[in-house]
């Protein structure tokens, strides 16, 4: 959505909040309106009813809104004195409170009128509500809300409405919400036994069950394989460091709130849990004296960092305190920035193509603003870097949007937005130039003339954080992971005990080919088939008399796939191929 | 060495300290003796010289000891009053201080006489020093030492002597010390670029360079492969946990000093860095409701835990604060303890055979003592477990020593001691029964009758800690790792620039076969060959006219190995075989 369209939608949603207020006042004349803003997916109005209403009442309010809508063809406003305004809203203590506050701030007190409804308002409306498609909005739900969010204030009734540019957009949104609920990774994570949140361990610190670790490890190994062949080396750094590291890096000044401080029980020394890996990686580079021939130097480390957040904001895998980054830092000469960015863009494209997320993705190219005093690094290096990044975007035909003034103070960057299977957008991969850390850590390599030169650092993360990425992937695939990621790839279901031996024979053959197999014998066949489908196992093999005699398999897969009389060898070849190529379903 | 022999050696070393004191007094009559005890590898005497002596003087002192030795055929002792003793040592303020203290404690003041030398002493000597082989001991070195270790006290001269049961033992020890110095993993770790200690990050928190990570990962993957095929599952747990986890586990009461406490910057919540993985793994088990059919449940996690130690005690990889355990916990029925121990013993044997450390290893079987009130768990479970462990030791023909009263309060255990290439003994692997944690975490599985039953937990670690184990391995192999562990497996050295292309062709072929290769072109060939040998690269391939024309290789390896006119395919087959089988050099 363009910025202009965004603005127009906000006005429309704000106007619909007024319409909701008007409809409520028509139907419940003794209700008191309080505040009614636009929100991301529509609008709401907080109302003090005389008594209470339930969701059953929403239909009639919505009907009333539909009746009023065609008559709201104009918007007018006028400015009132405090006394006039107080007189107008006499008896509504909420509006009175607002009016007094506006007056105290010496701001104009304005009233907006649409149709025959007038409300205290700062403005921001569409000119003619009658142009709005009545099917493009919908009252959604009711919730309780304290007046101005404060627990000691009166409880109000909040009526939520959804509003979009068109009926189709509204329907898409409702479908997306419904799908998101079905795919909720917290629910699926429990059902598929992927991870656990333990009260004893703490919020935001998920523990991964065996099934979840299989996915983590597959993602991590895939990411490492993509980097290894591009000349990256693995490093390993501890999770703690002294404050001195963060004083040198500059995090001690700016990042303290997000950091966990650590205190030794015996040594009484003070440390921090690392909130990122960059400072540690700078120290590994610094321990070598590289020559220009060694550059670029590329480090990769899938490492868990810890950042503090308020407990209330934590949930599932997407808001966590333990963040395993597929982190990497590379050290290069300014002239090498373009080539290195191109390589990383290649890795990102390959990775997200494998995940089936390349449709509708886009890239933000964040550049320096006009006030160059806000930024570190010479004009020359900025010019080189920004040109290199722009050239990469062009050469790789990235759908990119230059964003002036959006660069970090330490360098320009590329951020990648990908859409999941139900159309939600996620900011995931990032590549960033850094002219700051090499300076703070006084890093150098020896150039052709035998002199010290400062390298540029490039930060990059492909999945961003394994935890958050797994949360996104669980919902993207609705738990039905492609074969290479599926914790159990094949379920073998003998129709009865007498075929168990043959089932285990097949299991052994598949396991020799590194395929993850589960045999279940107990319970009825129907129950076991349902179980395998609930667990979203990609392939089910039912073993009966026919299969045992013919030494072949009957295989059922997703999308109504049925393979009959396939030999074990052929099935192994087929599934191995899917695993090796990381085929999508 | 048996306990008796140990005792005898201590007496002998103590007697030799007296002999040293006597020799010094003969040669330096105005020196003042202070304290002279036995130590692990010999003895020392702290002496106040009138002036100073250097190591050059040790030869004449040792010669004098040799002269006195045959005359020290008897030991006599007598008890003195405080005044008598003070009179005897008049003018030696150190002995006076000791005498006053002994008197203050109301202990007997005894003097021991051997030959014509008498010293203040509590006793503990051999009866006849003339039986000691004069070649079985040796003055070793001189060091400064404050009187009684206190910085504000006078500085004394400490003369160290080495003493063993025989000349051969002494020579073996001297060789071992010399070898250990050459193999020091801190020195090799730097030379081979395996790891780095950063002042900014902190002591005891090593950072692993790419070469070190290759070894870490190879060890970790090998360990995981040994477990995977025995039915273990990988889990992953965060490095932080709330105090509640350690209150439940009981660590909060006993282990606080070793733990790092953590404080959130925003949430203000309090956590600990995990000092072990057990409590986390209990929570993963507890999140499932397993049936007897699922037992045993086996978890494996190579995870880094953090334990605080005083900064002064930290060094290299063997004394660290970041400890990556190849950790695992399994949950089984009491009847399954024997089978599970047997499986783990099998893994340990295979792993240490691969490392070439099975010669001279032994196992301590720690059993419950007579005072059963000190232990948790029923008599029946203890009996089952102790019998199971003893049976495993017998069935697997382990060289084991039962150690009564050495069990942990929570269960019996097996500890494995292995000798490295220069004969030093290291306690490495451990397998422990635990009747405590399942109880504290109220763990259960459903038995055949549908009732809850408590499992037994087995802790096991094969390498113990990857950091310490790597430290031991660097010294065990003196940096010349077997091919599968070597960071660079093959060095390709073209004799000149014109053969570089062919060298890179060979590199590509080897890398396709997953062999770690380095090509170096710059510098003289001689220098590059020396470099490869310093880096202890297992194979060097020199590429010249002959090799390029004949498309064959000349390969030099360790132990004077030379392969001439070998094809690339044959060389790949040979080295791949060594890697797959993890062949020792």
């Amino acid at each position: 959505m363009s910025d202009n369209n965004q603005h127009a939608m906000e006005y429309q949603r704000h106007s619909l909040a007024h319409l909701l207020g008007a409809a409520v006042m028509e139907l419940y004349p003794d209700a008191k309106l309080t505040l009614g803003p636009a929100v991301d997916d529509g609008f709401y109005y907080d109302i003090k009813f005389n008594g209470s209403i339930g969701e059953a009442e929403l239909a009639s309010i919505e009907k009333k809104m539909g009746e009023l809508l065609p008559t709201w063809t104009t918007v007018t406003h006028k400015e009132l004195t405090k006394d006039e305004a107080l007189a107008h809203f006499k008896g509504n203590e909420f509006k009175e409170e607002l009016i007094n506050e506006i007056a105290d701030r010496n701001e104009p007190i304005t009233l907006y009128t649409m149709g025959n409804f007038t409300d205290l308002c700062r403005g921001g409306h569409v000119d003619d509500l009658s142009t709005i498609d009545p099917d493009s909005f919908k009252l959604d739900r009711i919730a309780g809300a304290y007046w101005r969010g404060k627990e000691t204030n009166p409880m109000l009734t909040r009526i939520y409405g959804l509003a979009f540019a068109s009926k189709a957009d509204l329907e898409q949104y409702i479908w997306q919400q419904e799908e998101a609920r079905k795919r909720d990774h917290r629910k699926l994570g429990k059902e598929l036994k992927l991870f656990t949140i333990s009260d004893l361990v703490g919020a935001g610190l998920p523990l991964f069950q065996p099934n979840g670790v299989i996915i983590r490890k597959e993602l991590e190994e895939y990411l490492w394989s993509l980097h290894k062949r591009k000349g990256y080396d693995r490093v390993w750094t501890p999770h703690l460091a002294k404050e001195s590291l963060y004083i040198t890096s500059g995090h001690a000044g700016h990042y303290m709130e997000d950091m966990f401080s650590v205190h030794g029980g015996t040594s009484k020394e003070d440390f921090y849990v690392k909130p990122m890996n960059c400072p540690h990686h700078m120290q590994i580079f610094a321990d070598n004296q590289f020559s220009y021939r060694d550059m670029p130097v590329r480090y990769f480390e899938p490492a868990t960092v810890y950042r503090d957040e308020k407990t209330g904001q934590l949930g599932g895998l997407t808001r966590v305190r333990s963040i395993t980054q597929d982190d990497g830092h590379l050290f290069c000469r300014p002239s090498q920035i373009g080539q290195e960015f191109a390589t990383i863009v290649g890795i990102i494209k390959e990775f997200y193509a494998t995940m089936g997320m390349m449709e509708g993705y886009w890239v933000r190219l964040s550049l320096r603003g006009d006030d160059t005093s806000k930024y570190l690094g010479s004009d020359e290096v900025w010019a080189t870097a920004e040109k290199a990044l722009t050239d990469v975007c062009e050469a790789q035909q990235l759908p990119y949007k230059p964003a002036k003034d959006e660069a970090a103070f330490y360098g320009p960057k590329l951020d990648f937005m990908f859409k999941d299977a139900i159309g939600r957008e996620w900011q995931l991969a990032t590549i960033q130039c850094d002219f700051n850390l090499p300076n703070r850590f006084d890093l150098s390599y020896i150039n052709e003339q035998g002199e010290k030169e400062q390298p540029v650092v490039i930060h990059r993360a492909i999945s961003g954080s394994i935890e958050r990425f797994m949360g996104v992937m669980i919902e993207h695939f609705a738990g039905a992971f492609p074969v290479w990621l599926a914790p159990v790839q094949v379920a073998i279901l003998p129709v009865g005990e007498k075929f168990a031996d043959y089932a285990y024979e097949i299991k052994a053959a598949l396991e020799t080919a590194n395929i993850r197999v589960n045999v279940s014998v107990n319970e009825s066949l129907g129950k076991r088939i349902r179980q395998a489908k609930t667990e979203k196992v990609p392939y089910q093999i039912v073993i009966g008399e026919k299969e045992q005699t013919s030494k072949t398999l009957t295989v059922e897969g997703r999308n109504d796939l049925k393979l009959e009389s396939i030999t074990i060898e052929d099935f192994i070849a087929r599934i191995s191929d899917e695993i090796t190529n990381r085929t999508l379903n």
Side-chain angles (χ1 to χ4, degrees), chain A residues 127-421:
Chain A
D127 298 331
D128 178 0
L129 263 74
S130 71
T131 61
I132 296 175
D133 178 354
D135 290 333
S136 73
F137 67 90
K138 180 182 185 319
L139 293 188
D140 186 39
R141 66 193 194 280
I142 282 181
Y146 292 107
W147 166 237
R148 311 191 97 178
K150 214 175 141 192
E151 276 178 48
T152 50
N153 283 346
M155 173 66 88
L156 307 171
T157 302
R158 177 172 295 179
I159 301 176
Y160 279 103
L162 301 173
F164 287 86
S166 67
K167 182 184 176 190
D169 284 1
L170 174 65
E171 283 173 350
Q172 161 73 15
Y173 181 79
I174 290 169
W175 170 83
Q176 194 183 64
Q177 290 297 99
E178 181 55 32
E179 267 303 307
R181 259 189 295 277
K182 280 192 238 161
R183 292 161 181 252
D184 188 324
H185 76 276
R186 292 164 297 186
K187 181 172 134 282
L188 285 174
K190 207 169 169 58
E191 283 170 20
L192 303 176
K193 291 202 183 304
L194 302 179
F195 65 93
T196 302
I197 310 286
S198 148
D199 287 342
L200 291 181
V201 173
L205 297 168
L207 292 79
F208 285 76
Q209 293 277 358
N211 282 347
V213 176
I214 288 170
I215 297 173
R216 267 186 89 108
K217 267 181 67 75
E218 287 289 353
L219 288 172
E220 209 174 286
E221 277 164 27
Y222 179 38
L223 284 161
W224 168 228
S225 75
L226 292 174
H227 286 82
K228 189 181 175 188
R229 62 180 198 226
K230 299 298 181 188
Y232 282 74
D233 287 315
R234 286 283 283 258
V235 293
W236 186 96
T237 61
H239 300 84
L240 305 186
K242 290 199 304 188
E243 189 178 23
S244 49
L245 186 71
Y246 300 110
I247 289 171
T248 306
S249 72
H251 291 106
H254 301 293
Y255 210 74
M256 248 12 173
E257 280 210 344
D258 289 337
M259 288 166 69
F260 286 105
S261 62
V262 175
H263 191 70
T266 294
S267 67
K268 308 295 175 200
E269 280 187 84
D270 292 319
F271 299 87
Y272 286 91
V273 186
K274 65 178 172 184
M276 60 259 302
N277 301 299
C278 344
H280 280 88
H281 289 185
M282 301 301 119
Q283 285 302 92
I284 291 189
F285 181 90
D287 190 53
N288 299 272
Q289 181 58 72
F290 289 112
S291 115
Y292 68 96
R293 284 200 199 90
D294 302 311
M295 307 295 282
V297 169
R298 308 177 189 90
Y299 295 148
F300 182 79
E301 181 181 21
T304 310
V305 300
Y306 290 80
R307 296 179 188 168
D308 196 15
E309 297 213 41
K310 290 211 175 70
T311 310
Q313 294 170 343
L314 301 169
L317 295 179
T318 44
R319 296 299 294 269
V320 288
R321 283 166 166 160
S322 50
I323 302 158
T324 308
Q325 300 181 317
D326 59 316
D327 211 356
H329 292 92
L330 43 87
F331 304 80
C332 67
R333 314 183 80 172
S335 61
Q336 295 169 327
I337 293 173
Q339 176 55 46
E340 292 305 314
F341 263 70
T343 302
I344 302 163
V345 166
I347 290 175
I348 292 171
K349 280 179 161 179
E350 184 168 348
F351 182 74
Y352 284 94
T354 300
M355 299 300 161
M357 291 186 88
M358 286 297 278
E359 204 174 305
Y361 85 103
W362 66 277
V363 180
R364 190 194 303 116
L365 166 59
S366 297
L367 304 168
R368 191 161 68 150
D370 292 327
D371 178 5
T372 57
S373 70
K374 294 194 305 185
Y375 302 89
L376 267 167
S378 72
D379 286 350
E380 192 193 336
V381 174
W382 271 90
T384 307
E386 292 194 345
K387 180 167 186 322
L389 268 58
T390 310
D391 287 351
V392 167
C393 288
E394 288 293 335
Q396 301 249 350
Q397 298 182 300
L398 300 183
Y400 76 102
K401 300 180 192 166
K404 215 175 146 172
D405 218 9
E406 289 288 319
F409 77 92
Y410 50 76
K413 60 177 179 164
L414 294 181
D415 290 308
F416 287 72
M417 322 295 153
F418 293 97
K419 281 205 172 82
D420 69 13

Side-chain angles (χ1 to χ4, degrees), chain A residues 80-148:
Chain A
L80 268 64
T81 65
K82 177 179 161 183
D83 288 343
E84 286 167 347
L86 287 174
H88 187 277
F89 289 101
K90 193 167 172 57
N92 182 331
E93 63 274 25
F94 306 104
K95 296 286 186 189
E96 285 170 1
E97 185 178 325
L98 295 173
I99 291 163
N100 283 322
E101 283 178 13
I102 299 168
D104 288 350
R105 289 197 304 268
N106 283 319
E107 289 172 8
I109 301 167
T110 50
L111 266 59
Y112 276 72
T113 300
M114 287 167 277
N116 54 4
F117 177 73
T118 299
D119 204 353
L120 180 71
C121 182
R122 244 178 303 200
H125 293 285
V126 292
D127 298 331
D128 178 0
L129 263 74
S130 71
T131 61
I132 296 175
D133 178 354
D135 290 333
S136 73
F137 67 90
K138 180 182 185 319
L139 293 188
D140 186 39
R141 66 193 194 280
I142 282 181
Y146 292 107
W147 166 237
R148 311 191 97 178

Side-chain angles (χ1 to χ4, degrees), chain A residues 488-560:
Chain A
V488 177
Q489 296 167 323
V490 179
I492 303 182
L493 313 164
V495 300
E497 278 281 1
K498 64 183 275 215
F499 304 107
D501 285 348
Y502 184 52
Y504 281 103
E505 231 176 79
I506 296 165
K507 178 175 192 263
L510 293 174
E511 283 182 342
T512 303
N514 285 314
I515 296 161
R516 298 186 288 265
V517 188
N518 188 24
V519 175
S520 67
V521 181
N522 300 301
E523 311 288 357
S524 76
L525 182 63
K527 193 163 173 188
R528 283 181 283 139
I529 291 177
R530 278 195 303 280
Q531 176 75 5
K533 300 216 163 161
T534 307
E535 288 170 3
K536 303 182 195 276
V537 178
Y539 292 106
Q540 294 100 44
I541 301 180
V542 175
I543 304 283
E545 192 67 49
K546 189 188 111 196
E547 288 75 17
Q548 178 158 328
T549 312
S550 66
K551 296 281 170 197
T552 63
L553 304 176
T554 307
V555 181
E556 293 201 16
R558 290 169 181 162
N559 310 316
D560 298 324

